[in-house]
């Protein structure tokens, strides 16, 4: 007999969202419809990522974005797919994207109450090497003053700390397409795309990050620019004082979504420290640091910035503002905090 158990009680993302909505009696269904549009954008981006080298979609688009990155063709395609699906949902008022200098405002939906921050393709420098990339998103609810006919909304209405996020998560287009999502005050759930059915299936319910793990994930190529306390901390992992035992193992993929997904499953510490070359760090607050911080906190981990402030309380000064970040197992981030005292 085949060792594959025929599971019949399958929780798809669609069913999961229906069950989530049922928990909120005041729900209008708008959030659910937004998530269905998100789901479509992930399926569509996954499709084009996997076809890239067959459809001449690899390589550079020949443009750069407002944060100075050279845009890959797939950065632009992923961005266009994401914005079109958010617009088409009729439930989103504004999108902030890594690939758009200005916020995209949908004046045709004046009653829509949600704003979405997104990194359409995270890790795009790895694309042509076939290394896992993903999409990172955060969903905010706009203040009432921005919602309704004639009401104005601007990009500055999205300058909120991550504690205001209603939901956040990311996909990783790897060996299979994985999706990790979390709701405000909720837990973390992981889904795997079943390409035969075209459905995200709940495979990792109630994800909890291991309390500690001797794995560190950082681009050591920036060591020359690190602050002294950052250097001291990583040295302490690599050359442990004899009583504390073995050195940590190093794992760095260079796509935040892939390094984050491994850290969420295995435990450890991920860091992109601010340094002398990038005084505010490299990762962007609204669509990389804050959504990831929410996922990790809801999975029992921690996330802090370079000053050891709680990442979710960091207030972005502009929509592409950056921050240093340390993210991972509760005890591992505690070690960072101790080392930076
Ligand atoms: P993006 O591809 O969306 O611009 O993000 C790239 C980020 C992040 O994915 C990763 O952690 C980091 O850049 C890697 O930076 P380095 O190559 O400087 O290590
Ligand atoms: Mn980029
Ligand atoms: Mn990114
Ligand atoms: Mn990106």
């Amino acid at each position: 007999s085949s060792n594959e158990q025929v599971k019949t009680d399958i929780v798809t993302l669609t069913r999961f969202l229906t069950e989530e909505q049922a928990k909120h009696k005041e729900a209008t269904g708008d959030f659910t419809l937004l998530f269905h549009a998100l789901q479509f954008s992930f399926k569509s981006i996954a499709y084009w990522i996997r076809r890239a080298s067959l459809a001449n979609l690899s390589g550079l688009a020949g443009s750069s974005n407002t944060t100075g990155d050279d845009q890959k063709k797939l950065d632009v395609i992923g961005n266009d797919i994401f914005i079109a699906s958010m617009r088409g949902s009729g439930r989103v008022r504004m999108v902030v994207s890594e690939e758009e200098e200005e916020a995209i405002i949908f004046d045709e939906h004046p009653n829509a109450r949600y704003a979405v921050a997104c990194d359409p393709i995270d890790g795009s420098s790895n694309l042509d090497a076939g290394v896992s990339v993903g999409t990172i998103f955060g969903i905010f609810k706009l203040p009432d003053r921005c919602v309704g006919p004639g009401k104005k909304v601007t990009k500055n209405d999205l300058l909120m700390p991550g504690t205001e996020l209603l939901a956040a998560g990311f996909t990783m287009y790897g060996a299979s397409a994985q999706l990790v999502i979390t709701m405000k005050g909720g837990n973390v759930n992981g889904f795997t795309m079943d390409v035969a059915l075209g459905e995200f299936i709940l495979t990792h319910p109630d994800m909890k990050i291991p309390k500690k793990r001797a794995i560190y994930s950082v681009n050591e190529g920036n060591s020359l620019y690190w602050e002294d306390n950052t250097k001291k901390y990583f040295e302490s992992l690599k050359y442990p004082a004899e009583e504390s035992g073995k050195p940590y193992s190093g794992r760095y993929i260079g796509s935040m979504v892939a390094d984050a997904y491994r850290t969420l499953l295995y435990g450890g510490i991920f860091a992109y420290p601010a340094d002398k070359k990038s005084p505010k760090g490299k990762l962007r607050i609204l669509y990389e640091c804050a959504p990831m911080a929410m996922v990790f906190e809801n999975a029992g981990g921690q996330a802090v910035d370079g000053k050891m402030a709680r990442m979710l309380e960091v207030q972005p000064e502009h929509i592409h503002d950056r921050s240093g970040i340390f993210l991972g197992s509760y005890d591992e981030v505690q070690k960072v905090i101790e080392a930076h005292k």
Side-chain angles (χ1 to χ4, degrees):
S1 67
S2 91
N3 57 13
E4 179 168 336
Q5 303 301 323
V6 177
K7 279 186 66 181
T8 52
D9 183 17
I10 305 284
V11 179
T12 61
L13 176 59
T14 304
R15 173 176 157 188
F16 179 88
L17 292 168
T18 305
E19 291 167 355
E20 274 298 305
Q21 181 179 325
K23 295 176 189 169
H24 304 272
K25 55 192 177 312
E26 77 289 348
T28 61
D30 286 355
F31 185 83
T32 300
L33 289 174
L34 194 176
F35 240 101
H36 288 165
L38 272 177
Q39 177 175 206
F40 176 74
S41 63
F42 301 147
K43 292 181 183 180
S44 187
I45 291 171
Y47 172 81
W48 288 110
I49 294 256
R50 298 189 187 306
R51 287 191 61 73
S53 39
L54 302 169
N56 183 29
L57 290 178
S58 44
L60 292 172
S63 49
S64 65
N65 68 20
T66 180
T67 63
D69 291 2
D70 288 335
Q71 289 175 311
K72 298 281 189 167
K73 288 179 194 164
L74 282 164
D75 276 322
V76 177
I77 291 168
N79 182 58
D80 292 348
I81 289 171
F82 195 90
I83 290 170
S85 80
M86 293 297 96
R87 181 194 305 274
S89 76
R91 296 316 188 268
V92 175
R93 187 80 174 81
M94 172 165 69
V95 172
V96 162
S97 165
E98 178 201 347
E99 307 306 338
E100 295 284 349
E101 176 161 11
E102 295 302 325
I104 306 289
I105 293 168
F106 304 137
D107 282 326
E108 67 268 42
H109 301 307
N111 300 323
R113 293 170 298 162
Y114 297 107
V116 181
C118 95
D119 179 356
I121 306 288
D122 174 71
S124 59
S125 64
N126 276 320
L127 267 172
D128 299 349
V131 173
S132 298
V133 299
T135 305
I136 309 172
F137 69 92
I139 303 171
F140 292 94
K141 191 176 222 173
L142 287 168
D144 290 346
R145 70 170 187 281
C146 305
V147 179
K151 296 282 181 67
K152 286 298 296 167
V153 65
T154 74
K155 61 186 176 184
N156 297 326
D157 292 307
L158 209 53
L159 298 182
M160 294 187 250
T163 45
E164 295 302 311
L165 280 163
L166 279 188
F170 64 96
T171 57
M172 185 185 76
Y173 311 114
S176 49
Q178 308 290 145
L179 167 65
V180 174
I181 63 173
T182 191
M183 311 296 182
K184 187 175 189 140
N187 62 0
V188 177
N189 290 284
F191 299 79
T192 302
M193 167 79 93
D194 179 331
V195 281
L197 298 175
E199 294 278 8
F200 278 105
I201 308 292
L202 180 64
T203 48
H204 298 70
D206 194 19
M207 296 177 85
K208 293 293 174 208
I209 182 169
K211 210 158 160 16
K212 61 185 176 188
R213 183 71 188 273
I215 299 174
Y216 74 98
S217 185
V218 71
N219 182 346
E220 307 225 34
N222 294 326
S223 309
L224 175 66
Y225 309 112
W226 285 348
E227 307 295 343
D228 287 346
N229 49 25
T230 305
K231 240 183 266 182
K232 185 166 63 71
Y233 162 66
F234 285 108
E235 289 297 299
S236 77
L237 303 187
K238 293 157 68 174
Y239 304 94
E242 59 284 352
E243 76 273 2
S244 60
K246 287 192 322 118
Y248 277 43
S249 177
R251 287 283 184 278
Y252 193 68
I253 300 168
S255 298
M256 187 185 197
V257 290
D259 285 315
Y261 191 65
R262 183 205 54 252
T263 305
L264 193 54
L265 286 168
Y266 293 2
I269 183 80
F270 170 84
Y272 207 106
D275 59 29
K276 295 167 190 136
K277 181 178 69 166
S278 322
K280 294 203 78 176
K282 173 182 182 179
L283 299 179
R284 285 68 42 121
I285 298 170
L286 272 181
Y287 43 81
E288 290 171 316
C289 299
M292 283 296 184
M294 183 178 180
V295 167
F296 274 71
E297 282 205 6
N298 286 353
Q302 289 195 78
V304 295
D305 71 0
K307 299 184 204 64
M308 305 299 116
R310 185 180 173 219
M311 190 73 235
L312 282 179
E313 291 173 6
V314 171
Q315 172 76 31
E317 289 162 17
H318 58 86
I319 57 172
H320 298 294
D321 200 3
R322 303 166 191 263
S323 172
I325 184 166
F326 293 85
L327 176 78
S329 295
Y330 191 90
D331 290 2
E332 301 303 336
V333 177
Q334 213 50 42
K335 277 178 93 166
V336 180
I337 294 167
E338 296 307 315
H340 284 68
K341 275 204 163 85

